[in-house]
Amino acid sequence: RAGWYSDEQAFSFSWDDGFADEDCLRLNIWTPGINDGRKRPVMVWLHGGGYSAGSGQELPSYDGHNLADKGDVVVVTLNHRLNVLGFLDLSAYGEKYAHSGNAGLLDIVAALDWVQANIGSFGGDAGNVTIFGQSGGGGKVSTLLATPSAKGKFHKAIVQSGAMLKTMESRWSRRIGAAVVEELGITPGRIDELHAMPYEKLLAAGEKAIAKVREEADKAGFASFIFGWAPTVDGSVLPRQPFSPDAPEQSKDVPMMIGTTIHEFSLSTYVPQLRTIDKSAAIEYLKTKYGEKTEEFLRLFENTYPDYQPKDLIDTDFTFRPSAIEQAVLKARQGGAPVYTYMFAWESPVLDGILRSTHCMEIPFVFNNADIHASMTGGGKDALELAEKMSQAWINFARTGDPNTEDLPQWPAYNCSEGAAMIFNDDCEVRYNHDKELINFIRQFPTRGF
């Protein structure tokens, strides 16, 4: 985890990395009552980490007690196989390994199977399950919506800063698998030797293989948000891309919520000199990306965010937001269950405000853990009040498929003409297509994923 090398990140995120182990297929469950005959909504959290890192207990925010207690819901977090253990595609080496490229995804399906079979004993309703996740977890939610073996095992879905429209394809995941085998000097007939291979050696070979094959994929023009360790379109476990070219038919009747934070990976959080940058210097920085169209970008940005600071020109997210809007458009066009969109714009006061509204900042609010994760939120009155509002919206959505609450403005479902989005801040408001022209401009300059 590169974040440990930054004192500011280590302090604010306060990760609990536990003990990495292959014996990882565990669930954590919080419930107001066991074997009490109640049927509570179930909220299954899928952690971030880009399919390579993370766990169901890595952040203080993930503690499900406050959410379960407040909403009378059952909260589940889970672990599954990651990186080379979860997504090494060896399907070219025989039927035994046919689904190896999606092992981590199948772990999540197995967890959902477990919930279906057992959550009633924990006071949960197997007929009312919401999956929600952030970053890589949002990608997992996106993918499960197109995974046939997951159909019917959840009934609502929330994608937080992780709208993954496209994932790996077997031609590239198989190529990575072959490159790993080649790197390790194993012949196809000795493929089972991988079972006894030390994890560190296997992972190192995998990282080398990804770097090598990525060059080939780039030359061939293949693009996915995450290249390498990720679910793969194999024609079986995952027969199609999650949201390309359209929303998956199998989840047409699943209501969705989709959103991002306004800053995500804000550069000024990590580069101190950008925190006090002036407008002229910011414009010079922008020219490296937008060239002769910088003035057009500036005009659209100022129309969208008239009260901006110069650092906002650099910090505002244009990596996750375009995909989130596109996913919402595809879902709305389908004409099935509703989709609601949001933008989290609240800025943390911690460390003199350097965190801004960074990637993961909304999680303590969703779980009603602004106090537990005060190293990220500050734990102040404003944070606690916003956490009450947001967690209630998530609870209401899990209960009914509609996030509206008494403490928020009326939140309309998204449609392509109006583009309604709830803006979460000290004063929450609904805005309509507020950044449409800006995002349409940004689409001329696609941002590469990870």
Side-chain angles (χ1 to χ4, degrees):
R1 187 191 295 283
W4 282 118
Y5 291 97
S6 163
D7 288 346
E8 293 88 351
Q9 287 187 70
F11 169 79
S12 57
F13 279 85
S14 190
W15 291 290
D16 171 11
D17 286 330
F19 300 93
D21 197 278
E22 291 185 48
D23 180 12
C24 65
L25 302 185
R26 307 297 181 93
L27 296 167
N28 307 303
I29 304 171
W30 291 263
T31 179
I34 292 177
N35 287 323
D36 60 2
R38 299 282 299 279
K39 284 196 168 187
R40 299 174 177 88
V42 181
M43 301 179 71
V44 178
W45 174 253
L46 304 177
H47 69 78
Y51 299 99
S52 291
S55 74
Q57 44 53 244
E58 67 174 329
L59 289 176
S61 305
Y62 292 0
D63 187 304
H65 175 269
N66 284 343
L67 192 62
D69 188 53
K70 175 183 178 178
D72 194 33
V73 298
V74 178
V75 178
V76 179
T77 72
L78 60 91
N79 297 332
H80 61 90
R81 282 173 286 180
L82 298 166
N83 53 66
V84 71
L85 301 180
F87 301 98
L88 176 60
D89 187 351
L90 301 172
S91 57
Y93 299 96
E95 184 62 26
K96 180 178 180 179
Y97 298 100
H99 304 314
S100 56
N102 282 313
L105 178 62
L106 289 170
D107 288 347
I108 301 173
V109 175
L112 293 174
D113 283 333
W114 192 98
V115 167
Q116 285 296 305
N118 298 287
I119 208 65
S121 298
F122 294 84
D125 181 1
N128 190 9
V129 176
T130 297
I131 55 172
F132 67 131
Q134 184 268 350
S135 194
K140 295 165 195 174
V141 172
S142 301
T143 305
L144 287 166
L145 288 161
T147 303
S149 58
K151 181 176 172 59
K153 296 169 186 176
F154 62 89
H155 313 92
K156 303 172 189 72
I158 304 173
V159 178
Q160 300 173 210
S161 302
M164 195 159 80
L165 310 179
K166 291 184 70 177
T167 186
M168 291 292 289
E169 292 179 356
S170 59
R171 61 175 170 147
W172 298 114
S173 59
R174 277 188 168 199
R175 181 72 193 91
I176 291 169
V180 169
V181 172
E182 183 181 322
E183 179 71 27
L184 294 170
I186 295 176
T187 61
R190 294 162 47 216
I191 198 72
D192 286 353
E193 290 180 20
L194 290 177
H195 289 282
M197 187 75 61
Y199 165 71
E200 290 77 10
K201 186 175 181 180
L202 191 60
L203 180 61
E207 295 301 317
K208 286 183 181 179
I210 288 172
K212 178 182 176 182
V213 177
R214 186 195 291 269
E215 292 183 9
E216 300 173 21
D218 285 346
K219 289 177 183 176
F222 175 73
S224 64
F225 193 73
I226 296 178
F227 188 88
W229 308 135
T232 186
V233 179
D234 62 357
S236 175
V237 174
L238 187 61
R240 52 157 289 161
Q241 290 289 0
F243 276 80
S244 179
D246 53 12
E249 183 66 22
Q250 75 169 60
S251 51
K252 181 177 181 179
D253 297 329
V254 175
M256 290 185 68
M257 276 174 55
I258 305 168
T260 59
T261 73
I262 194 170
H263 297 130
E264 299 291 358
F265 292 105
S266 58
L267 275 177
S268 74
T269 301
Y270 313 104
V271 184
Q273 57 266 38
L274 294 180
R275 296 170 195 164
T276 54
I277 195 170
D278 61 27
K279 183 176 178 180
S280 60
I283 290 173
E284 288 304 310
Y285 182 92
L286 293 172
K287 286 179 180 177
T288 62
K289 182 172 184 179
Y290 302 117
E292 62 185 20
K293 294 190 175 183
T294 299
E295 286 300 318
E296 184 181 356
F297 169 83
L298 191 61
R299 176 181 62 80
L300 292 169
F301 191 93
E302 290 177 341
N303 287 342
T304 305
Y305 301 109
D307 300 323
Y308 76 98
Q309 305 172 63
K311 64 181 177 181
D312 294 340
L313 294 167
I314 297 168
D315 284 348
T316 301
D317 165 60
F318 297 119
T319 300
F320 290 86
R321 177 80 175 145
S323 295
I325 294 173
E326 188 169 349
Q327 189 176 49
V329 166
L330 293 170
K331 176 68 175 175
R333 279 181 183 162
Q334 196 174 36
V339 56
Y340 298 85
T341 73
Y342 71 87
M343 176 183 280
F344 184 84
W346 186 89
E347 296 192 35
S348 171
V350 169
L351 297 170
D352 297 324
I354 69 167
L355 301 175
R356 311 211 70 193
S357 185
T358 193
H359 197 60
C360 302
M361 183 58 72
E362 88 285 3
I363 301 174
F365 297 83
V366 166
F367 277 83
N368 202 26
N369 283 337
D371 52 350
I372 290 176
H373 206 164
S375 63
M376 195 162 206
T377 70
K381 180 173 178 287
D382 291 343
L384 296 176
E385 289 180 355
L386 183 56
E388 286 286 344
K389 294 175 183 177
M390 283 191 71
S391 58
Q392 191 62 55
W394 263 242
I395 289 164
N396 286 6
F397 182 80
R399 193 173 295 280
T400 68
D402 185 336
N404 277 285
T405 79
E406 294 180 357
D407 295 327
L408 289 172
Q410 180 64 31
W411 186 352
Y414 183 94
N415 63 54
C416 299
S417 59
E418 296 177 325
M422 178 65 73
I423 311 297
F424 286 108
N425 210 329
D426 289 331
D427 295 313
C428 299
E429 62 173 329
V430 173
R431 300 185 68 182
Y432 296 87
N433 283 326
H434 77 281
D435 59 354
K436 183 177 181 178
E437 289 187 52
L438 181 58
I439 295 299
N440 286 341
F441 171 86
I442 292 296
R443 292 188 195 283
Q444 302 173 64
F445 305 87
T447 301
R448 178 173 173 167
F450 301 96

